[in-house]
C-alpha cells in the first residue's frame, strides 16, 4: 500500500491563499488506510482551512469530497465534474502523488495542490506504525534474500550483507525504529536453511527497470486498446 | 443541549423489549432517563402501555429476566426506572392529557375494567370510538384495584393510570353489573361492538371434607374485602392454601391484619412454587411460615367452624410429561390448628352474568378463539384473563391492545381479524467474550422498608429511586444494538482501524468492516477513529449533534454571547441530576458564554467534532471527561486524550491558542465539578480577562 | 604483483605492515595535508586517504591521494559507493591510476544522514563488494563492468574493510570471505579494543584459510581521553570498548590519559604482532597524526622495510 503523511496545514493554506472556492478531495483507498487522506481527514482539513481563513478575515468556500480512488478515470470523473460544474477555482487533493498528477492532467486551468507527502510503499507493523517494504525497483531480487528486500529496507541498499553499523539487530541510521534488514535476512535465511546462499556475491543490480531507467509504463495487452470498443 | 436519539425500535429488538408482552421500548426509556429526558421516557412508556404507573410497581418485568446485562453482572432494574419516570413526570402527564372526540360514530362497550378492558378502551378511544366501560364494582381497575394488596400497589398509583385513560373520554359505568343491571343483549343493541374483559374473579375451592366450614375464605374475596376496607375477622393462626402469587399476597395481607402466625401450605417444593421468588423471599422476611410439599387432606372443624387442617405429604406435583398431576404419601400426614383457611389455588371466571343464549360457553368457560379474540357472537370479543387464563397484568394489557385491533378491524370491515403470529427476533445473549470485557457496575435494587415495620400496615413497602440512583441505573443499560454500523460498504477501505480500537473485540473487517449489533456495546470509538468517516452511531450520531449545535447557535445572538464563548462537551454519565441535562435557555448560553453539549461518553467525539465548533463561532472547546478510571469503555480515555492532542496540534497550526481546546476530567460528580471546571476553562483561554464574572 | 605498490611489496615480502590514516582538508588548500604528510613520512608503508569521511565534504580522495603520492607517502585511496555510481567510480579509478595511485580501499561509506549534508540523495548504485569486483575486473580482465575493454593495463592493490565487532557476528567472517572472493587483496579492520572478540574473529578466519588468501591489517586507534573512549563506546555503531580499558583510562588523571591511551595501544600492537594471520596494523590516529612517529618508535616498528 502507498503510505503518505499529511502536509502541515499552514503549508496547504499558503497554496490556496489566492483562491476563493476550494475543494478538498480525499481518496478512499491507500491514504484512507494510512489515516492521512480519507473522508475524515478531508473533512477535518476543510474545516481547519475554513477556520483559518475565517480568522484571517478572508472567509472562503471550502468543501470536501472523497472518491474511491483518484487513480482511475471513472472514479475521478464525478470529482472533475463537480470542480468544473460548481466553479471551484482550486483543488487540494489528499491522494498520493498519483492522484495529484492524475487530477492535474485533467483539470485544465484549475490548479491542484498536494495535501499530503507521499512517502513509500509499506505495511502496517503495528496499529499506527507503517514501514517501507518495497521500493518498486522493477526487478525483484527478494528470491535471493529470503523474501526480505535489502533495497527498500537497508539504508545503504547493500546487496551483500550488513555494513559495519549493524548492531544488536538495529540499523545504525535509526536504531530506535529500524531493524537492520541484513540481520533479518540472515536470521530468515538461517531459518530457511539457506544461509550458505549468502556466501554468493550478488552482482551489481540492473536499475533500468527502476525509475532510473526513465518513466515507466505497464501495458497489459489482453485488455489494452481493445478494438471493439470505439473510444 | 442534549441530543435526542430516535425513539424508533430497531430490528431485531433488544432482548428486554422482545420479552416485554407489549414490547416497550425499554432501551429507549433507559436512554431517555440517562439523558435526563424523563418526559420522552414517559412518552415511550405510554406508547406501549397505558399502565406505566401500575407496571412500575407490580410488573413481574420479564424484560429484566432477559436483559443482556445479566451476562456482565445483573440485569438493569428496568421496573424501577419505569417507576422513577412515572413519579417524576406527574405534572407533565396531566398536562399532556387530551380528550379525543369520538369521530367514528361508533360505540364500543367494554365489560370489566381490569387492565385488559381498560387498555382496549384506551386504544379504541384513541381510534375515535365512543367507548363505555361497564364495571360491577364501584371502583375501576379489576384485580389491580381489588386484589393486589395496597402495600404493593397503592391506590393513588393505580389512579394515575386510570385517570389518564378516562381523560381520553372513556365513559365508565361503575356499579353496573352486566347480567344484573344490564344484559349483554341490551348492551349489544346500543353498541356496535362489545369486549368481554371480566377477568377471573372467583376463587376455585377445594372439594375436601370440611370445605364449607365457617372460616374457609376464597382468596379473591378475602383480598377484595380487605382492599375495600372490610377485612374479615381473623384469629391468631391463619393458613393459606396455594403456592402462587395470590397465595403469597393473601398471606402477607393476613400478616398485616395482625395475625401472629400465618402459614402457607403448598404442594410444590420451594423451587417449584409458582410465585415469584422475590415475593416468597419478602414473605419469609415478614414471618410467613411456608410448608412446602404438603397438600390439604381435610379441614377440621369444631361446631361448623374451622379448627385446623390435616395435611398429607405431596411426593410429586408434576408427572414425567410436566403435567400437573400430584401424588401423595397418604401415610405421612400432619395436623395444624388454625382459625381460618384462605383458599388460593386458582381462579375462574364468573360467567353467571351471561346466559347460554347470549354467548356460547363450554365446560364452564367462555367459547372464544385466541387467534381472533372473537366469541360465538359477531361483534362480541373477549380479552384479558377470561380469554387467556391466569397471567400477569402486562399480559392482560397486551391482550387488551390486541382486542382493540380486532374490534377496530371488525368495525371498519365487518370482518374478523386473524391476529398475525407475532414473530419477534431479538439479539440473543450477549456473547461471553464481549461480556467479560464490559465493565461491571453493581445493580441498584429498590429499598424495602424493614419487615418489622412494614407488616404493621398497608403502606407501600418499596421506596422509589431518587434521581441519582435512577441516572446511575439507567446508564447501566448497554444500549444494545444502538452502536456502530457501517454506513455503506463503499466507504469502507478495510483499514482495520475499527477492529484495532474496538475495546470489545466486536468490530471485524472482512473486505469491509462489520460491527455486529448483537455484540457492539456502543462506545463509538470506531466511529470516532474511522478514517473514511464511514461508521455511524445509532446513538448520539455526531452529525445530528452538529445540526443541533448549529440550531442552538443560530437561536442565540452571537454578539450577545459572553466571550470567550466555550463549547463544553460533557460526559452526561457524570450527572446526578437533571440540572445540566435539561436544555439550556438562550439567555443562559448568552450570559454564561458556555454551551453544554451532553455526550454519552465523550470518548466518541471525533477530531472533527473537536475542531468544527470553531467554525460555528466558538472561541474554545472543552472536553470534560469523567473521573480517572471511571469510563465505561476500556481504552476510551487514552484514545480520547490522544485525539485531543492531535486536534490541539491541528488547531495550533491554524493559529489558535493551545488553550483553545482543553481536556478536563471531573473529580466528583458533574454538579460538584463542572462549574469549577468551566471557570478554569475560561481562565485558561482568557488569562487577561480572568476576573470576568461567571454564572 | 598486482599493482607494484609499496604496501603490496611489504606485505608480500612477509613484513609486518603499517598503514595509517590521513584525512584530507576541509578546503582547497593542500598545505595542512602536506603538514600531515611530513609527520608520517618514513614511519608507515602507506596512508589511507579518506573519501568524504562520515559523509562530510572534504577534498576528494583522488586529489588528496595524488598529493600524498607527490610528497613521497604512498596513498591508499578510499572510495565509497555512497556518492558515485558505477560510471563515476570506474572513471575515478582510471584517473587515480593515471595519477600514480596503486592502492585503494573499497567502501560503501557512512550514511549521509551522519554527515554535514544530511539532505543529500545518496547513490548506492553498487555496494563495496560490487565495487571490489568491478575494479578487479578492470585490472585483471581489462574490462569495464559492462564488458567493454579498456585501453591499456591497470595495476591496483585492492583493499576492503571488515568490522569484526558488528552484528550478526557469525556473518562477519562470511562477509570477509565474500570480500576476498570479490577481489580484496588486503583487509583493514575497524579499530580493535575488544581483543577477545577479535581473537575469535581471527580464529574463524583462519579456519576458513582466509589469512592465506589476503593480508589482514588490524585497525587500532589510540584513545586520547576517557571522554573519547566513552563516546566511542556509546555512539559509534559497531564499536565496543571493554570495561577493562575504560577502567584503565578512568584510573589515571585527566592529563595522563593520552599517555595511557598510547600505552594501551602499544600493548595491543605487541599482541597483534603475535596473532597468527595478522599481517600488519592500520593506525587510525584521527587528527593525531603527529603522534605516529612516537608510536612507531615505541613499538619498534621503524625503520620501515625497503622492498624492491
Ligand atoms: C392477588 C393478585 C395479585 C396479583 N399480582 C400481580 C402482580 O404483582 N403483577 C402482575 O403483573 N399481575 C398480578 N396479578 C394478575 C393481574 O392482576 C391480572 O392478570 C389482571 O388483573 C387481569 O386483568 P383482566 O383485565 O383480565 O381482569 P381483571 O383484572 O380480573 O378485571 C376484570 C374486571 O371485570 C369486572 N367484572 C367481572 N364480571 C363483571 C360483570 N359481570 N359486569 C361488570 N364487571 C364485571 C371485575 O369486577 C373486574 O374489575 C395479580 C392477581 C391477583 C389476583
Ligand atoms: S442492557 Fe439495556 S437494551 Fe440491553 S437488554 Fe438490558 S435493558 Fe435492554
Ligand atoms: S468500537 Fe464500540 S461502537 Fe464500535 S463496534 Fe466496538 S463496541 Fe461497537
Amino acid at each position: 500500500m502507498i503510505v503518505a503523511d499529511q502536509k502541515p496545514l499552514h503549508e496547504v493554506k499558503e497554496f490556496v491563499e489566492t483562491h476563493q472556492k476550494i475543494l478538498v478531495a480525499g481518496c478512499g483507498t491507500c491514504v484512507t488506510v494510512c489515516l492521512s487522506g480519507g473522508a475524515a481527514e478531508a473533512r477535518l482539513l476543510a474545516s481547519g482551512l475554513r477556520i483559518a481563513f475565517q480568522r484571517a478575515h478572508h472567509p472562503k468556500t471550502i468543501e470536501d469530497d472523497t472518491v474511491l480512488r483518484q487513480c482511475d478515470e471513472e472514479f475521478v470523473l464525478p470529482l472533475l465534474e463537480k470542480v468544473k460544474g460548481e466553479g471551484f477555482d482550486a483543488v487540494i487533493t489528499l491522494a498520493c502523488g498519483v492522484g495529484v498528477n492524475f487530477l492535474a492532467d485533467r483539470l485544465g486551468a484549475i490548479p491542484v495542490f498536494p495535501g499530503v507527502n507521499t512517502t513509500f510503499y509499506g505495511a502496517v507493523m503495528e496499529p499506527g506504525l507503517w514501514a517501507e517494504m518495497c521500493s518498486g525497483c522493477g526487478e525483484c531480487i527478494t528470491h535471493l534474500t529470503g523474501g526480505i528486500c535489502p533495497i527498500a529496507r537497508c539504508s545503504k541498499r547493500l546487496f551483500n550483507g550488513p555494513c559495519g553499523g549493524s548492531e544488536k539487530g538495529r540499523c545504525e541510521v535509526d536504531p530506535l525504529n529500524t531493524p537492520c534488514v541484513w540481520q533479518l535476512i540472515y536470521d530468515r535465511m538461517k531459518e530457511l536453511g539457506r544461509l550458505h546462499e549468502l556466501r554468493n556475491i550478488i552482482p551489481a543490480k540492473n536499475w533500468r527497470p527502476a525509475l532510473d531507467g526513465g518513466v515507466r509504463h505497464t501495458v497489459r495487452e489482453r485488455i489494452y486498446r481493445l478494438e471493439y470498443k470505439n473510444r | 443541549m442534549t441530543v435526542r436519539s430516535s425513539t424508533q425500535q430497531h430490528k431485531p429488538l433488544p432482548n428486554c423489549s422482545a420479552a416485554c408482552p407489549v414490547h416497550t421500548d425499554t432501551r429507549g426509556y433507559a436512554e431517555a432517563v440517562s439523558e435526563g429526558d424523563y418526559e420522552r421516557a414517559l412518552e415511550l412508556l405510554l406508547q406501549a402501555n397505558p399502565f406505566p404507573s401500575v407496571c412500575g410497581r407490580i410488573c413481574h418485568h420479564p424484560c429484566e429476566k432477559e436483559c443482556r446485562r445479566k451476562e456482565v453482572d445483573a440485569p438493569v432494574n428496568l421496573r424501577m426506572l419505569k417507576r422513577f419516570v412515572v413519579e417524576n413526570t406527574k405534572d407533565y402527564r396531566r398536562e399532556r392529557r387530551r380528550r379525543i372526540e369520538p369521530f367514528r360514530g361508533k360505540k364500543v362497550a367494554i365489560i370489566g375494567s381490569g387492565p385488559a378492558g381498560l387498555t382496549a378502551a384506551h386504544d379504541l378511544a384513541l381510534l375515535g370510538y365512543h367507548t363505555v366501560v361497564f364495571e360491577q364494582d364501584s371502583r375501576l381497575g379489576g384485580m389491580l384495584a381489588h386484589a393486589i394488596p395496597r402495600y404493593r400497589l397503592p391506590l393513588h398509583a393505580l389512579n394515575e393510570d386510570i385517570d389518564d385513560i378516562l381523560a381520553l373520554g372513556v365513559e365508565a359505568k361503575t356499579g353496573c353489573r352486566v347480567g344484573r343491571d344490564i344484559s349483554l343483549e341490551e348492551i349489544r343493541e346500543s353498541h356496535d361492538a362489545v369486549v368481554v374483559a371480566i377477568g377471573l374473579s372467583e376463587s376455585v375451592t377445594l372439594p375436601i371434607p370440611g370445605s364449607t366450614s365457617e372460616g374457609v375464605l376464597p382468596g379473591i374475596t378475602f383480598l377484595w374485602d380487605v382492599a375495600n376496607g372490610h377485612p374479615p375477622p381473623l384469629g391468631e393462626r391463619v393458613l393459606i392454601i396455594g403456592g402462587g402469587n395470590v397465595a403469597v399476597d393473601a398471606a402477607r395481607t393476613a400478616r398485616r391484619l395482625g395475625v401472629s402466625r400465618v402459614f402457607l401450605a403448598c404442594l410444590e417444593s420451594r423451587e417449584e412454587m409458582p410465585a415469584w421468588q422475590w415475593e416468597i423471599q419478602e414473605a419469609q422476611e415478614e414471618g410467613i411460615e411456608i410448608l412446602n410439599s404438603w397438600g390439604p387432606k381435610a379441614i377440621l372443624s369444631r361446631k361448623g367452624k374451622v379448627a385446623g387442617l390435616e395435611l398429607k405429604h405431596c411426593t410429586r406435583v408434576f408427572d414425567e410429561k410436566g403435567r400437573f398431576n400430584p401424588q401423595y404419601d397418604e401415610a405421612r400426614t400432619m395436623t395444624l390448628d388454625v382459625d381460618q383457611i384462605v383458599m388460593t389455588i386458582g381462579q375462574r371466571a364468573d360467567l353467571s352474568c351471561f346466559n347460554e343464549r347470549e354467548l356460547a360457553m363450554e365446560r364452564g368457560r367462555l367459547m372464544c378463539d385466541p387467534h381472533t379474540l372473537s366469541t360465538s357472537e359477531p361483534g362480541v370479543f373477549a380479552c384479558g384473563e377470561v380469554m387467556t387464563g391466569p397471567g400477569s397484568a402486562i399480559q392482560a394489557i397486551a391482550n387488551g391492545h390486541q382486542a382493540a385491533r380486532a374490534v377496530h378491524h371488525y368495525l371498519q370491515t365487518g370482518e374478523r381479524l386473524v391476529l398475525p403470529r407475532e414473530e419477534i427476533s431479538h439479539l440473543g445473549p450477549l456473547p461471553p467474550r464481549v461480556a467479560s470485557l464490559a465493565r461491571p457496575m453493581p445493580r441498584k435494587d429498590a429499598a424495602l422498608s424493614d419487615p418489622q415495620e412494614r407488616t404493621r400496615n398497608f403502606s407501600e413497602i418499596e421506596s422509589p429511586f431518587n434521581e441519582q440512583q435512577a441516572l446511575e441505573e439507567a446508564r447501566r443499560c448497554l444500549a444494545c444494538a444502538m452502536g456502530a454500523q457501517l454506513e455503506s460498504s463503499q466507504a469502507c477501505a478495510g483499514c482495520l482501524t475499527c477492529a484495532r480500537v474496538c475495546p470489545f473485540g466486536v468490530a471485524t473487517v472482512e473486505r469491509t468492516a462489520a460491527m455486529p449489533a448483537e455484540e457492539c456495546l456502543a462506545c463509538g470509538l470506531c466511529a470516532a477513529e474511522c478514517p473514511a468517516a464511514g461508521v455511524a452511531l445509532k446513538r448520539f450520531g455526531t452529525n445530528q449533534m452538529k445540526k443541533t449545535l448549529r440550531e442552538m447557535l443560530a437561536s442565540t445572538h452571537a454578539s450577545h454571547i459572553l466571550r470567550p464563548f466555550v463549547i463544553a462537551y460533557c460526559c452526561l454519565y457524570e450527572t446526578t441530576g437533571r440540572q445540566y441535562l435539561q436544555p439550556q435557555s438562550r439567555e443562559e448560553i448568552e450570559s454564561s458564554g458556555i454551551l453544554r453539549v451532553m455526550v454519552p461518553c465523550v470518548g466518541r467525539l471525533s477530531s472533527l467534532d473537536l475542531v468544527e465548533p470553531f467554525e460555528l463561532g466558538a472561541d474554545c472547546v472543552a472536553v470534560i471527561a469523567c473521573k480517572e478510571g471511571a469510563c465505561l469503555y476500556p481504552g476510551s480515555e487514552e484514545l480520547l486524550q490522544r485525539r485531543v492532542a492531535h486536534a490541539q496540534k491541528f488547531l495550533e497550526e491554524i493559529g489558535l491558542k493551545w488553550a483553545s481546546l482543553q481536556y478536563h476530567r471531573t473529580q466528583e460528580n458533574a454538579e460538584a465539578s463542572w462549574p469549577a471546571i468551566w471557570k478554569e476553562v475560561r481562565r485558561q483561554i482568557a488569562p487577561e480577562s480572568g476576573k470576568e464574572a461567571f454564572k | 604483483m598486482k599493482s607494484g605498490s609499496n604496501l603490496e611489496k611489504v606485505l608480500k615480502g612477509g613484513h609486518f605492515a603499517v598503514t595509517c590514516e590521513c584525512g584530507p582538508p576541509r578546503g582547497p588548500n593542500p598545505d595542512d595535508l602536506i603538514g600531515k604528510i611530513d609527520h608520517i613520512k618514513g614511519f608507515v608503508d602507506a596512508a589511507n586517504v579518506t573519501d568524504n569521511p562520515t559523509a562530510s565534504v572534504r577534498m576528494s580522495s583522488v586529489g588528496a591521494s595524488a598529493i600524498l603520492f607527490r610528497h613521497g607517502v604512498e596513498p591508499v585511496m578510499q572510495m565509497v559507493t555512497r556518492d558515485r555510481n558505477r560510471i563515476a567510480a570506474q572513471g575515478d579509478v582510471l584517473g587515480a591510476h593515471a595519477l600514480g595511485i596503486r592502492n585503494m580501499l573499497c567502501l560503501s561509506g557512512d550514511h549521509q544522514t551522519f554527515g554535514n549534508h544530511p539532505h543529500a540523495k545518496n547513490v548506492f548504485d553498487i555496494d563495496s563488494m560490487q565495487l571490489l569486483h568491478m575494479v578487479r575486473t578492470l585490472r585483471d580482465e581489462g574490462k569495464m563492468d559492462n564488458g567493454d575493454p579498456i585501453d591499456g593495463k591497470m595495476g591496483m592493490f585492492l583493499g576492503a574493510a571488515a568490522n569484526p565487532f558488528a552484528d550478526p557476528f557469525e556473518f562477519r567472517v562470511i562477509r570477509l570471505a565474500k570480500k576476498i572472493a570479490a577481489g580484496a587483496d588486503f583487509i583493514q579492520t575497524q579499530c580493535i579494543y575488544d581483543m577477545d572478540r577479535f581473537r575469535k574473529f581471527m580464529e574463524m578466519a583462519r579456519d576458513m584459510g582466509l589469512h592465506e588468501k589476503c593480508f589482514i591489517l588490524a585497525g587500532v586507534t589510540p584513545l586520547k581521553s576517557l571522554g573519547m573512549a566513552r563516546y566511542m563506546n556509546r555512539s559509534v555503531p559497531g564499536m565496543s570498548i571493554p570495561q577493562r580499558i575504560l577502567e584503565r583510562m578512568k584510573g589515571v588523571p585527566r592529563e595522563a590519559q593520552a599517555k595511557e591511551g598510547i600505552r594501551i595501544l602499544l600493548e595491543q600492537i605487541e599482541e597483534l604482532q603475535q596473532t597468527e594471520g595478522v599481517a600488519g596494523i592500520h593506525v587510525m590516529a584521527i587528527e593525531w597524526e603527529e603522534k605516529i612517529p612516537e608510536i612507531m618508535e615505541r613499538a619498534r616498528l621503524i625503520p620501515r622495510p625497503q622492498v624492491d
Side-chain angles (χ1 to χ4, degrees), chain A residues 1-3 119-125 130-142 147-154 157 181 205 207 210 216:
Chain A
M1 186 198 58
I2 295 175
V3 180
T119 46
F120 53 79
Y121 314 148
V124 179
M125 307 310 286
W130 284 262
E132 185 159 15
M133 292 266 151
C134 169
S135 52
C137 76
E139 197 171 82
C140 193
I141 59 143
T142 51
I148 297 173
C149 180
I151 301 172
R153 300 170 70 184
C154 169
R157 251 167 283 147
V181 76
K205 184 179 164 61
W207 290 108
R216 294 171 280 178

Side-chain angles (χ1 to χ4, degrees), chain B residues 6 13 61 97 185 214 254 365 420 445 464 482 525 539-540 556 657:
Chain B
S6 76
L13 293 182
H61 48 76
R97 282 180 191 158
E185 225 172 321
E214 192 187 332
R365 295 189 56 182
D445 282 306
M482 286 301 279
L525 293 178
R539 186 178 190 197
F540 193 81
T556 42
K657 282 199 272 188

Side-chain angles (χ1 to χ4, degrees), chain B residues 39 72 105 119 128 131 188 308 385 433 481 580 601 625 651 675 686:
Chain B
E39 292 72 25
V72 179
T119 300
T131 314
R188 288 187 68 190
E385 290 190 334
R433 177 177 49 80
Y580 294 129
C601 181
L651 290 168

Side-chain angles (χ1 to χ4, degrees), chain B residues 605-620:
Chain B
L605 296 168
S606 69
S607 298
L608 190 63
D609 294 332
L610 302 176
V611 167
E612 250 184 356
F614 294 99
E615 243 187 273
L616 302 174
D619 301 310
C620 174

Side-chain angles (χ1 to χ4, degrees), chain B residues 503-523:
Chain B
F504 305 109
V506 168
T508 53
V509 177
E510 224 177 287
R511 276 177 187 278
T512 55
M515 297 87 184
E518 66 277 11
E519 298 185 12
C520 172
L521 296 186
C523 67

Side-chain angles (χ1 to χ4, degrees), chain B residues 439-602:
Chain B
R439 187 166 156 248
M441 295 164 84
R443 170 184 159 107
K444 296 215 154 18
D445 282 306
L448 299 182
S449 46
D450 182 66
Q452 297 290 318
E453 277 301 312
R454 69 193 188 211
T455 46
R456 293 207 180 135
N457 54 39
F458 282 85
S459 27
E460 189 170 14
I461 66 172
E462 182 188 82
S463 333
F465 273 165
N466 63 29
E467 196 166 34
Q468 179 170 357
Q469 289 170 317
L471 288 170
E472 279 173 18
E473 189 59 21
R475 71 190 56 141
R476 289 184 67 242
C477 172
L478 299 172
C480 298
M482 286 301 279
Q485 207 179 27
L486 191 63
E487 260 175 324
S488 90
S489 59
Q490 283 245 308
C492 179
C495 73
L496 289 157
T497 305
C498 51
R500 286 169 180 155
V501 299
C502 176
F504 305 109
V506 168
T508 53
V509 177
E510 224 177 287
R511 276 177 187 278
T512 55
M515 297 87 184
E518 66 277 11
E519 298 185 12
C520 172
L521 296 186
C523 67
L525 293 178
C526 55
E529 298 288 351
C530 173
V535 180
L537 291 178
K538 294 211 199 97
R539 186 178 190 197
F540 193 81
T542 47
N543 282 336
Q544 195 192 340
M545 176 196 73
K546 250 162 262 160
K547 215 180 107 226
T548 322
L549 196 62
R550 279 207 181 90
E551 281 165 12
M552 282 301 298
L553 286 168
S555 74
T556 42
H557 296 295
S559 58
H560 294 179
I561 301 174
L562 180 69
R563 296 281 165 172
F565 176 41
V566 178
I567 303 260
Y569 287 118
C570 308
C571 175
L572 66 79
Y573 291 148
E574 292 291 278
T575 53
T576 61
R578 263 232 258 203
Q579 185 186 358
Y580 294 129
L581 290 170
Q582 267 161 338
Q584 278 172 291
S585 69
R586 204 180 82 183
E587 291 68 34
E588 190 195 335
I589 297 168
E590 288 174 354
S591 63
S592 67
I594 288 187
L595 173 60
R596 297 189 305 261
V597 182
M598 308 299 293
V599 190
C601 181
V602 286

